[in-house]
Amino acid sequence: MWTADEIARLCYEHYGSRLPKQGKPEPNREWTLLAAVVKIQPTADQACDRSDGPVQVTKEVVSMGTGTKCIGQSKMRKSGDILNDSHAEVIARRSFQRYLLHQLHLAAALKEDSIFLPGSQRGLWKLRPDLLFVFFSSHTPCGDASIIPMLEFEDQPCCPVSRDWASNPSVETSDNLEAPEDKRKCEDPESPVTKKMRLEPRTPGGTAHRQSFGSQERGPNPPNVSSSNLTAEELASVTGMTPSGAQVVDVYRTGAKCVPGEAGDSGQPGAAYHRVGLLRVKPGRGDRTRSMSCSDKLARWNILGCQGALLMHFLEEPIYLSAVVIGKCPYSQEAMQRALIRRCQNVSALPEGFGVQEVKIQQSDLLFEQSRRAVQTRKADSPGRLVPCGAAISWSAVPEQPLDVTANGFPQGTTKKGIGRLQARSRISKVELFRSFQKLLSSISEDKWPDSLRAQKLATYQEYKEAASTYQQAWSALRKQAFGSWIRNPPDYHQFK
């Protein structure tokens, strides 16, 4: 049907051909992260063909995002006109919501080329049954999925860490967007530290169960390999052995901090430095952020869907991802499964249509050319410091103004004097997506509105979100049973109209 490499190649080609030079990293000085949503659909002749041969599909990028930054909480605005989180995964998902809004416009206008069909209830739509969506990210999501073990082993490849490792240890990794200069030697692909950390085992039939190590995009700061301060009991709980005898001795460390209310990291040397499975907030540069890690957000989307609360008014069921593909980077299949699926797998009593998805997770062998690792390799001995690109690019498969380039949460080039004006809003900001939602609503006669929008007079963004009752019930169940410490913005940040 499709392979991880096919998805990665399609996204890299789209990045090269459809995204502008503006907003991309400065050559040999900057790097960035890439994420996208790909629509998978059987070819027209395949839909009619009942043969038992391989299913032929068309693959189309419908949204894409780049970016590595978040704003601090002091820069957040109650007008909804700033992007709080500009990590590539979040930009791609918001761009996907813009695409879904356009497709709902087509459906409401009874256009045959929409991805939606009429649902069984008035005003509701459902996804065409032959469609599915694959999420691609050039790098492991920040937070829990980036907690990857380091092994002590010989130079030849060996098998992955045992399955038990990911559910037992108290560990974590480094997601800092910029590592301190004194730790740069650990990020150099030619350094003795990095050379020692090579692990690229293969399994028959693909890359789904592979663990690979190298220079980590979000700032790997491999700590000193030391477990001498741990008790025998602690060592037993955090270290594992591969079949070849290589021992888990440490972990990549993440800059994402445990949220208040969580158990917190031990901070002990070696493999016990972090605890896994915890909710984490993205790091800020002095000013703390309120943005949850991408691992946490992907886990949430895996239960609530990618459409969000607003679009749930028009949908019979959530829009789920069928698969997640990760580009070539430090990677652990066990950590991905834990972060995206297993820590929420016991959530129950969800409204009809909602559920924990068994999303397929794979890794590609293809490296993103603008990744930290690729730029480091090309840069070689060139002088100057390598830094993350400050801009973020959004692209949606929509006919009007598909591109959006931002920096610090606003369209690139916005001045302090310009903030607050219409042209100083990103097309994927809360207020602009809300405006698109209201435009969709006004294009539909009131007698064809879904019941959730007819029951009461709604005005603010917050009121429309809260009125999506099934979505809010599912979100409440997820918080009570798994994500109780999730950081939520105060209601006064959602009172705009």
Side-chain angles (χ1 to χ4, degrees):
M1 193 174 184
W2 56 265
T3 67
D5 282 355
E6 287 173 350
I7 297 295
R9 187 177 295 109
L10 178 70
C11 294
Y12 296 158
E13 290 173 354
H14 190 95
Y15 172 86
S17 63
R18 302 296 290 275
L19 268 57
K21 184 177 180 181
Q22 180 192 10
K24 288 183 177 177
E26 184 181 324
N28 296 323
R29 199 185 81 85
E30 296 180 328
W31 56 271
T32 195
L33 301 170
L34 176 71
V37 177
V38 178
K39 181 182 72 172
I40 308 289
Q41 184 174 17
T43 56
D45 55 344
Q46 187 76 35
C48 304
D49 185 6
R50 300 298 180 185
S51 66
D52 294 330
V55 178
Q56 300 299 311
V57 298
T58 59
K59 300 179 288 292
E60 177 191 0
V61 176
V62 295
S63 78
M64 181 166 279
T66 72
T68 64
K69 302 286 188 178
C70 286
I71 64 166
Q73 58 186 358
S74 68
K75 293 184 173 65
M76 292 172 59
R77 290 168 57 84
K78 296 180 181 180
S79 50
D81 60 354
I82 190 170
L83 296 177
N84 297 334
D85 187 343
S86 291
H87 278 214
E89 297 94 326
V90 176
I91 297 292
R93 185 256 186 165
R94 298 188 73 82
S95 304
F96 182 52
Q97 290 176 319
R98 191 176 175 216
Y99 165 77
L100 293 176
L101 273 163
H102 171 65
Q103 291 296 321
L104 284 168
H105 268 286
L106 293 178
L110 303 179
K111 299 289 180 66
E112 292 185 0
D113 53 350
S114 173
I115 64 172
F116 294 111
L117 298 171
S120 58
Q121 299 178 51
R122 177 178 54 188
L124 297 185
W125 303 87
K126 61 183 180 182
L127 191 66
R128 290 181 179 272
D130 59 344
L131 297 182
L132 57 87
F133 295 104
V134 174
F135 192 86
F136 173 77
S137 176
S138 64
H139 198 273
T140 307
C142 65
D144 196 52
S146 288
I147 299 174
I148 301 170
M150 292 181 186
L151 305 182
E152 183 179 66
F153 56 91
E154 291 109 16
D155 280 344
Q156 73 270 14
C158 61
C159 299
V161 177
S162 67
R163 180 169 295 274
D164 293 337
W165 184 87
S167 56
N168 290 334
S170 304
V171 290
E172 192 188 23
T173 75
S174 183
D175 288 301
N176 292 319
L177 296 180
E178 288 188 71
E181 284 294 332
D182 62 352
K183 294 178 181 177
R184 286 282 167 194
K185 60 181 178 292
C186 298
E187 300 164 24
D188 180 0
E190 292 305 311
S191 74
V193 174
T194 308
K195 280 183 176 179
K196 189 178 179 184
M197 294 185 292
R198 292 205 310 270
L199 182 61
E200 303 251 347
R202 309 284 296 194
T203 58
T207 61
H209 294 278
R210 191 178 88 196
Q211 200 155 310
S212 58
F213 304 87
S215 61
Q216 185 164 356
E217 299 294 342
R218 299 188 200 271
N221 302 328
N224 293 327
V225 178
S226 170
S227 303
S228 58
N229 293 337
L230 304 183
T231 65
E233 182 179 324
E234 288 168 330
L235 274 171
S237 69
V238 301
T239 59
M241 300 289 286
T242 68
S244 65
Q247 188 176 29
V248 178
V249 292
D250 217 321
V251 289
Y252 286 93
R253 297 186 183 177
T254 181
K257 308 300 181 185
C258 298
V259 301
E262 290 282 16
D265 293 316
S266 72
Q268 295 185 57
Y273 185 85
H274 291 297
R275 291 186 174 91
V276 297
L278 304 182
L279 290 173
R280 297 182 180 274
V281 67
K282 290 170 181 170
R285 309 197 76 190
D287 186 10
R288 291 181 70 97
T289 81
R290 295 183 63 86
S291 298
M292 302 300 294
S293 75
C294 288
S295 291
D296 298 335
K297 291 185 176 184
L298 277 160
R300 174 179 170 172
W301 304 340
N302 197 45
I303 293 179
L304 303 185
C306 287
Q307 76 293 321
L310 285 184
L311 292 189
M312 202 64 222
H313 282 294
F314 289 105
L315 298 174
E316 206 160 74
E317 294 180 341
I319 305 296
Y320 288 116
L321 301 169
S322 294
V324 173
V325 174
I326 304 297
K328 188 172 184 178
C329 65
Y331 178 87
S332 164
Q333 183 73 12
E334 301 304 327
M336 286 289 295
Q337 293 278 357
R338 176 194 68 232
L340 271 57
I341 303 172
R342 287 211 300 272
R343 55 185 177 152
C344 299
Q345 67 184 2
N346 294 323
V347 173
S348 59
L350 293 164
E352 185 177 357
F354 290 85
V356 182
Q357 306 301 299
E358 280 295 326
V359 62
K360 183 180 182 181
I361 302 173
Q362 293 190 352
Q363 188 185 26
S364 166
D365 247 342
L366 304 181
L367 182 66
F368 178 42
E369 63 175 11
Q370 306 267 258
S371 67
R372 185 176 202 159
R373 181 176 176 181
V375 176
Q376 276 179 329
T377 301
R378 290 195 302 270
K379 183 180 170 67
D381 297 326
S382 301
R385 183 181 179 188
L386 190 62
V387 298
C389 181
I393 306 175
S394 159
W395 182 92
S396 301
V398 298
E400 296 180 10
Q401 299 177 311
L403 280 162
D404 195 57
V405 182
T406 56
N408 300 312
F410 293 111
Q412 197 171 44
T414 300
T415 62
K416 285 187 177 180
K417 188 180 291 186
I419 292 174
R421 297 176 182 172
L422 286 177
Q423 60 266 38
R425 295 176 176 178
S426 165
R427 296 184 183 96
I428 57 170
S429 63
K430 287 186 180 76
V431 68
E432 281 299 296
L433 288 179
F434 184 39
R435 191 172 71 89
S436 296
F437 170 84
Q438 291 173 312
K439 187 177 177 182
L440 169 62
L441 193 57
S442 65
S443 72
I444 303 170
S445 60
E446 198 165 331
D447 63 316
K448 293 182 180 178
W449 285 7
D451 291 343
S452 61
L453 294 173
R454 294 159 57 88
Q456 53 188 311
K457 188 71 174 177
L458 305 171
T460 67
Y461 178 73
Q462 177 76 10
E463 288 169 356
Y464 274 98
K465 283 170 63 79
E466 290 299 325
S469 57
T470 56
Y471 182 92
Q472 296 300 340
Q473 289 166 23
W475 181 209
S476 178
L478 175 57
R479 291 198 311 274
K480 288 178 180 176
Q481 298 176 54
F483 284 171
S485 300
W486 190 282
I487 295 178
R488 304 178 73 194
N489 293 328
D492 56 340
Y493 280 89
H494 294 157
Q495 297 305 319
F496 52 88
K497 298 180 180 180

